[in-house]
Amino acid sequence: MKTRFLEGRQCQCQCHTHTRLLLSSNTLESCASMENVMGLLRIKVKRGINLAVRDARSSDPYLVITMAHQKLKTRVVKKTCNPDWNDELTLSISDPNIPIKLTVYDKDTITGDDKMGDAEVDIKPYLASMRMGLQNLPTGCVVSRVQPTRQNCLADESSIVWENGKITQHMILRLNNVECGEVELQLEWIEFAGSKGLGTQDSKWREHTFTKRRPWEQRHLFALSSGSKKLRYI
């Protein structure tokens, strides 16, 4: 699903380097100081598995991801408990210790949207693998494996893998506070020129990888750095 910027405007806070970004399809609201941003985390929300029934026989599920002031959401998939979202949502990361929370809702046009479970995305093992500074591994090489424990929401073993010149993590999360349901995600880390980074790559590498980003993510970085009062992208 293609994501578009609708508007970027100056944040109503004391720091003049902050910029608030509003996106149409994932409803991202971010307010980040450029010099504190470590990088971007691209979360591909692939699908929901055996989600709870909230209507007569099915549900109209969508997923919301929050991290501090940032909030993103997928599209609504109607009349299914096994939605294929395949939506990409991108967070700007300043502090990896801030929890990333995921909540699934059933869209209801008459009453309020019903919750269908929640989970937390633990990115620390993934960032630890990124900090190893690995290069030129064979595609498909498993860098690390993360086991499900009581401290995470993993439903099964999660693999951190080198794929086509980058490291990604595939995971299936078990939803809490609901009778059933899982969500499949993929994580990808993106650094850019001017970001703090994770301490493994130099500025030349970040400049090179800027061209590999989605066009709207390049505009995301431009908006963060420019402080423009009004930016429109259609």
Coordinates of all heavy atoms in Angstrom, one line a residue, residues 64-123:
V64 N -3.3 -0.6 15.0 CA -2.7 0.6 15.4 C -1.4 0.4 16.1 O -1.3 -0.5 17.0 CB -3.6 1.4 16.3 CG1 -3.0 2.7 16.8 CG2 -4.9 1.8 15.6
I65 N -0.3 1.1 15.7 CA 1.0 1.1 16.4 C 1.2 2.4 17.0 O 1.1 3.5 16.4 CB 2.1 0.7 15.4 CG1 2.0 -0.8 15.0 CG2 3.5 0.9 16.0 CD1 3.0 -1.3 14.0
T66 N 1.6 2.4 18.3 CA 2.0 3.6 19.0 C 3.3 3.5 19.6 O 3.7 2.5 20.1 CB 0.9 4.0 20.1 OG1 0.9 2.9 21.0 CG2 -0.4 4.2 19.5
M67 N 4.0 4.7 19.6 CA 5.3 4.8 20.3 C 5.4 6.2 20.8 O 5.6 7.1 20.0 CB 6.5 4.4 19.4 CG 7.8 4.5 20.1 SD 9.2 4.2 19.0 CE 10.6 4.0 20.1
A68 N 5.2 6.4 22.1 CA 5.2 7.8 22.7 C 4.2 8.6 21.9 O 3.0 8.3 21.9 CB 6.6 8.4 22.6
H69 N 4.6 9.7 21.3 CA 3.7 10.6 20.6 C 3.3 10.1 19.2 O 2.4 10.7 18.6 CB 4.4 12.0 20.4 CG 5.8 11.9 19.9 ND1 6.9 11.8 20.7 CD2 6.2 11.8 18.6 CE1 8.0 11.7 19.9 NE2 7.6 11.7 18.6
Q70 N 4.0 9.1 18.7 CA 3.7 8.6 17.3 C 2.6 7.6 17.3 O 2.5 6.7 18.2 CB 4.9 8.0 16.7 CG 6.1 9.0 16.6 CD 7.3 8.3 16.0 OE1 7.4 8.2 14.8 NE2 8.3 8.0 16.9
K71 N 1.7 7.7 16.3 CA 0.6 6.8 16.2 C 0.4 6.5 14.7 O 0.2 7.4 13.9 CB -0.7 7.4 16.8 CG -1.9 6.5 16.7 CD -3.1 7.1 17.4 CE -4.3 6.3 17.4 NZ -5.5 6.9 18.0
L72 N 0.3 5.2 14.3 CA 0.2 4.8 12.9 C -0.9 3.7 12.9 O -1.1 3.0 13.8 CB 1.5 4.2 12.4 CG 2.8 5.1 12.5 CD1 3.5 4.7 13.8 CD2 3.6 4.9 11.3
K73 N -1.6 3.6 11.7 CA -2.6 2.6 11.6 C -2.6 2.0 10.2 O -2.3 2.7 9.2 CB -4.0 3.1 12.0 CG -4.6 4.1 11.1 CD -6.0 4.4 11.7 CE -6.7 5.4 10.8 NZ -8.1 5.7 11.3
T74 N -3.1 0.8 10.1 CA -3.2 0.1 8.8 C -4.6 0.5 8.2 O -5.5 1.1 8.9 CB -3.1 -1.4 8.9 OG1 -4.2 -1.9 9.7 CG2 -1.8 -1.8 9.6
R75 N -4.9 0.0 7.0 CA -6.2 0.1 6.5 C -7.1 -0.9 7.1 O -6.7 -1.9 7.8 CB -6.2 -0.2 5.0 CG -5.6 -1.5 4.6 CD -5.2 -1.6 3.1 NE -4.6 -2.9 2.9 CZ -5.3 -4.0 2.4 NH1 -6.6 -3.9 2.2 NH2 -4.6 -5.1 2.2
V76 N -8.4 -0.8 7.0 CA -9.4 -1.7 7.5 C -9.6 -2.8 6.4 O -9.8 -2.5 5.2 CB -10.7 -1.0 7.8 CG1 -11.8 -2.0 8.2 CG2 -10.5 0.1 8.9
V77 N -9.6 -4.0 6.8 CA -10.0 -5.2 5.9 C -11.3 -5.7 6.4 O -11.4 -6.2 7.6 CB -8.9 -6.3 5.9 CG1 -9.3 -7.4 5.0 CG2 -7.5 -5.7 5.5
K78 N -12.3 -5.7 5.6 CA -13.7 -6.0 6.0 C -14.0 -7.5 6.0 O -13.5 -8.2 5.2 CB -14.7 -5.2 5.2 CG -14.6 -3.7 5.4 CD -15.8 -3.0 4.6 CE -15.8 -1.6 5.0 NZ -16.2 -1.3 6.4
K79 N -14.8 -7.9 7.0 CA -15.4 -9.2 7.0 C -14.4 -10.4 7.0 O -14.5 -11.3 6.1 CB -16.4 -9.4 5.9 CG -17.6 -8.4 6.0 CD -18.6 -8.6 4.9 CE -19.7 -7.6 5.1 NZ -20.8 -7.7 4.0
T80 N -13.4 -10.3 7.8 CA -12.4 -11.4 7.9 C -11.8 -11.4 9.3 O -11.6 -10.4 9.9 CB -11.4 -11.3 6.8 OG1 -10.4 -12.4 6.9 CG2 -10.6 -10.0 6.9
C81 N -11.4 -12.6 9.7 CA -10.6 -12.7 10.9 C -9.1 -13.1 10.6 O -8.3 -13.4 11.5 CB -11.2 -13.8 11.9 SG -12.8 -13.3 12.6
N82 N -8.8 -13.1 9.3 CA -7.5 -13.4 8.8 C -7.1 -12.4 7.8 O -6.9 -12.7 6.6 CB -7.4 -14.8 8.3 CG -7.6 -15.9 9.3 OD1 -6.7 -16.2 10.1 ND2 -8.9 -16.4 9.4
P83 N -7.0 -11.1 8.2 CA -6.7 -10.1 7.2 C -5.3 -10.1 6.7 O -4.3 -10.4 7.4 CB -7.0 -8.8 8.0 CG -6.6 -9.2 9.4 CD -7.1 -10.6 9.5
D84 N -5.1 -9.8 5.4 CA -3.8 -9.5 4.8 C -3.7 -8.0 4.6 O -4.2 -7.4 3.6 CB -3.7 -10.2 3.4 CG -3.6 -11.7 3.5 OD1 -2.9 -12.2 4.4 OD2 -4.3 -12.5 2.8
W85 N -3.0 -7.4 5.5 CA -2.8 -5.9 5.4 C -1.7 -5.6 4.5 O -1.8 -4.7 3.6 CB -2.5 -5.4 6.8 CG -3.7 -5.3 7.8 CD1 -4.8 -4.6 7.6 CD2 -3.8 -6.0 9.0 NE1 -5.7 -4.8 8.7 CE2 -5.1 -5.7 9.6 CE3 -3.0 -6.8 9.8 CZ2 -5.5 -6.1 10.8 CZ3 -3.4 -7.3 11.0 CH2 -4.7 -7.0 11.5
N86 N -0.5 -6.1 4.7 CA 0.7 -5.8 3.9 C 0.9 -4.3 3.8 O 1.2 -3.8 2.8 CB 0.6 -6.4 2.5 CG 0.7 -7.9 2.5 OD1 1.6 -8.5 3.1 ND2 -0.2 -8.6 1.8
D87 N 0.8 -3.6 5.0 CA 1.0 -2.2 5.0 C 2.3 -1.9 5.7 O 2.7 -2.6 6.6 CB -0.1 -1.5 5.9 CG -1.4 -1.4 5.1 OD1 -1.4 -1.7 3.9 OD2 -2.5 -1.0 5.7
E88 N 3.0 -0.9 5.2 CA 4.3 -0.5 5.8 C 4.1 0.8 6.6 O 3.7 1.8 6.1 CB 5.3 -0.3 4.7 CG 5.7 -1.6 4.0 CD 6.8 -1.4 3.0 OE1 7.0 -0.3 2.6 OE2 7.3 -2.5 2.5
L89 N 4.5 0.7 7.9 CA 4.3 1.9 8.8 C 5.8 2.2 9.3 O 6.5 1.3 9.7 CB 3.4 1.5 10.0 CG 2.1 0.9 9.6 CD1 1.3 0.6 10.9 CD2 1.3 1.8 8.7
T90 N 6.1 3.5 9.4 CA 7.5 3.8 9.7 C 7.5 4.8 10.9 O 6.9 5.8 10.9 CB 8.2 4.5 8.5 OG1 8.2 3.6 7.4 CG2 9.6 4.9 8.9
L91 N 8.3 4.4 11.9 CA 8.5 5.2 13.1 C 9.8 5.8 13.1 O 10.8 5.2 12.6 CB 8.4 4.3 14.4 CG 7.1 3.6 14.7 CD1 7.3 2.6 15.8 CD2 6.1 4.7 15.2
S92 N 10.0 7.0 13.6 CA 11.3 7.6 13.9 C 11.7 7.3 15.3 O 10.9 7.4 16.2 CB 11.2 9.2 13.7 OG 10.3 9.8 14.6
I93 N 12.9 6.7 15.4 CA 13.4 6.2 16.7 C 14.4 7.1 17.3 O 15.5 7.4 16.7 CB 14.0 4.8 16.6 CG1 13.0 3.9 15.9 CG2 14.4 4.2 17.9 CD1 11.7 3.6 16.6
S94 N 14.1 7.7 18.5 CA 15.0 8.5 19.2 C 15.5 7.7 20.5 O 16.7 7.9 20.9 CB 14.4 9.8 19.7 OG 14.0 10.6 18.6
D95 N 14.7 6.9 21.1 CA 15.0 6.2 22.3 C 14.4 4.8 22.1 O 13.2 4.6 22.2 CB 14.4 6.8 23.5 CG 14.8 6.1 24.8 OD1 15.4 5.0 24.7 OD2 14.4 6.6 25.9
P96 N 15.3 3.8 21.8 CA 14.7 2.4 21.6 C 14.1 1.8 22.8 O 13.6 0.7 22.7 CB 16.0 1.6 21.1 CG 17.1 2.4 21.7 CD 16.7 3.8 21.7
N97 N 14.3 2.4 24.0 CA 13.7 1.8 25.2 C 12.3 2.2 25.4 O 11.6 1.6 26.2 CB 14.5 2.3 26.4 CG 15.9 1.8 26.5 OD1 16.2 0.6 26.3 ND2 16.9 2.7 26.6
I98 N 11.8 3.1 24.6 CA 10.3 3.5 24.6 C 9.5 2.4 24.0 O 9.8 1.9 22.9 CB 10.1 4.8 23.9 CG1 10.8 6.0 24.5 CG2 8.6 5.1 23.8 CD1 10.7 7.3 23.8
P99 N 8.5 1.9 24.7 CA 7.8 0.7 24.2 C 7.1 1.0 22.9 O 6.6 2.1 22.7 CB 6.8 0.4 25.3 CG 7.3 1.1 26.6 CD 8.1 2.3 26.1
I100 N 7.0 0.0 22.0 CA 6.2 0.1 20.8 C 5.0 -0.8 21.0 O 5.2 -2.1 21.2 CB 7.1 -0.4 19.6 CG1 8.3 0.5 19.4 CG2 6.2 -0.4 18.3 CD1 9.2 0.1 18.3
K101 N 3.9 -0.2 21.0 CA 2.7 -1.0 21.4 C 1.8 -1.2 20.1 O 1.7 -0.3 19.3 CB 1.9 -0.3 22.5 CG 2.7 -0.2 23.8 CD 1.9 0.4 24.9 CE 2.7 0.5 26.2 NZ 1.9 1.1 27.3
L102 N 1.2 -2.3 20.0 CA 0.4 -2.7 18.9 C -1.0 -3.1 19.4 O -1.1 -3.9 20.4 CB 1.0 -3.9 18.2 CG 0.4 -4.7 17.1 CD1 1.5 -5.4 16.3 CD2 -0.6 -5.7 17.6
T103 N -2.1 -2.5 18.8 CA -3.4 -2.9 19.2 C -4.3 -3.1 17.9 O -4.2 -2.4 17.0 CB -4.1 -1.7 20.0 OG1 -3.2 -1.4 21.1 CG2 -5.4 -2.2 20.6
V104 N -5.1 -4.2 18.0 CA -6.0 -4.5 16.9 C -7.4 -4.1 17.3 O -7.8 -4.3 18.4 CB -5.9 -6.0 16.5 CG1 -6.9 -6.3 15.4 CG2 -4.5 -6.4 16.1
Y105 N -8.1 -3.5 16.3 CA -9.5 -3.0 16.5 C -10.4 -3.6 15.5 O -10.0 -3.8 14.3 CB -9.6 -1.5 16.5 CG -8.9 -0.8 17.7 CD1 -7.5 -0.4 17.5 CD2 -9.5 -0.5 18.8 CE1 -6.9 0.3 18.6 CE2 -8.9 0.1 19.9 CZ -7.6 0.5 19.8 OH -7.0 1.2 20.8
D106 N -11.7 -3.7 15.8 CA -12.7 -4.0 14.9 C -13.4 -2.7 14.5 O -14.0 -2.0 15.4 CB -13.7 -5.0 15.5 CG -14.9 -5.1 14.6 OD1 -14.8 -5.4 13.4 OD2 -16.1 -5.0 15.1
K107 N -13.4 -2.3 13.3 CA -14.1 -1.0 12.8 C -15.6 -1.2 13.0 O -16.2 -2.1 12.5 CB -13.7 -0.7 11.4 CG -14.2 0.6 10.9 CD -13.6 1.8 11.6 CE -14.0 3.1 11.0 NZ -13.4 4.3 11.8
D108 N -16.2 -0.2 13.6 CA -17.7 -0.2 13.7 C -18.2 1.3 13.5 O -17.7 2.2 14.1 CB -18.1 -0.6 15.2 CG -19.5 -1.0 15.2 OD1 -20.3 -0.3 14.6 OD2 -19.8 -2.0 15.9
T109 N -19.0 1.4 12.5 CA -19.5 2.7 12.1 C -20.6 3.2 13.0 O -20.9 4.4 13.0 CB -20.0 2.7 10.6 OG1 -21.0 1.7 10.5 CG2 -18.9 2.4 9.7
I110 N -21.2 2.4 13.8 CA -22.3 2.8 14.6 C -21.9 3.0 16.0 O -22.1 4.1 16.6 CB -23.5 1.7 14.6 CG1 -24.0 1.6 13.2 CG2 -24.6 2.1 15.5 CD1 -25.0 0.5 13.0
T111 N -21.3 2.0 16.7 CA -20.7 2.2 18.0 C -19.2 2.4 17.9 O -18.6 2.4 16.9 CB -21.1 0.9 18.9 OG1 -20.4 -0.2 18.3 CG2 -22.6 0.7 18.9
G112 N -18.6 2.5 19.1 CA -17.1 2.6 19.1 C -16.4 1.4 18.6 O -16.9 0.3 18.7
D113 N -15.2 1.5 18.1 CA -14.4 0.4 17.6 C -14.1 -0.5 18.8 O -13.6 0.0 19.9 CB -13.2 0.9 16.9 CG -13.5 1.7 15.7 OD1 -14.7 1.7 15.3 OD2 -12.5 2.2 15.1
D114 N -14.2 -1.8 18.6 CA -13.9 -2.8 19.7 C -12.5 -3.2 19.6 O -11.9 -3.5 18.5 CB -14.8 -4.0 19.5 CG -16.3 -3.7 19.6 OD1 -16.7 -2.9 20.5 OD2 -17.1 -4.2 18.8
K115 N -11.9 -3.4 20.8 CA -10.5 -3.9 20.8 C -10.5 -5.4 20.5 O -11.4 -6.1 20.9 CB -9.9 -3.7 22.2 CG -9.5 -2.2 22.5 CD -8.7 -2.1 23.8 CE -7.4 -2.7 23.7 NZ -6.5 -2.5 24.9
M116 N -9.4 -5.8 19.8 CA -9.3 -7.2 19.5 C -7.9 -7.8 20.0 O -7.4 -8.7 19.4 CB -9.4 -7.4 18.0 CG -10.8 -7.0 17.4 SD -10.9 -7.0 15.6 CE -10.6 -8.8 15.3
G117 N -7.4 -7.2 21.0 CA -6.1 -7.6 21.6 C -5.0 -6.7 21.3 O -5.1 -5.7 20.5
D118 N -3.9 -6.8 22.1 CA -2.7 -5.9 22.0 C -1.5 -6.7 22.2 O -1.5 -7.9 22.8 CB -2.9 -4.8 23.0 CG -3.0 -5.3 24.4 OD1 -2.0 -5.7 25.0 OD2 -4.2 -5.3 24.9
A119 N -0.4 -6.1 21.9 CA 1.0 -6.8 22.1 C 2.0 -5.7 22.1 O 1.7 -4.5 21.8 CB 1.3 -7.8 21.0
E120 N 3.2 -6.0 22.5 CA 4.3 -5.1 22.5 C 5.4 -5.6 21.6 O 5.7 -6.8 21.6 CB 4.9 -4.9 23.9 CG 5.8 -3.7 24.1 CD 6.1 -3.4 25.5 OE1 5.1 -3.1 26.2 OE2 7.3 -3.3 25.9
V121 N 6.0 -4.7 20.8 CA 7.1 -5.1 19.9 C 8.4 -4.8 20.5 O 8.8 -3.7 20.8 CB 7.0 -4.4 18.5 CG1 8.0 -4.8 17.6 CG2 5.6 -4.5 17.9
D122 N 9.2 -5.9 20.8 CA 10.5 -5.7 21.4 C 11.6 -5.7 20.3 O 11.8 -6.7 19.6 CB 10.8 -6.9 22.3 CG 12.1 -6.8 23.1 OD1 12.8 -5.7 23.0 OD2 12.5 -7.8 23.7
I123 N 12.2 -4.5 20.1 CA 13.1 -4.3 19.0 C 14.6 -4.5 19.5 O 15.5 -4.4 18.7 CB 13.0 -3.0 18.3 CG1 13.2 -1.8 19.3 CG2 11.6 -2.8 17.7 CD1 13.3 -0.4 18.6

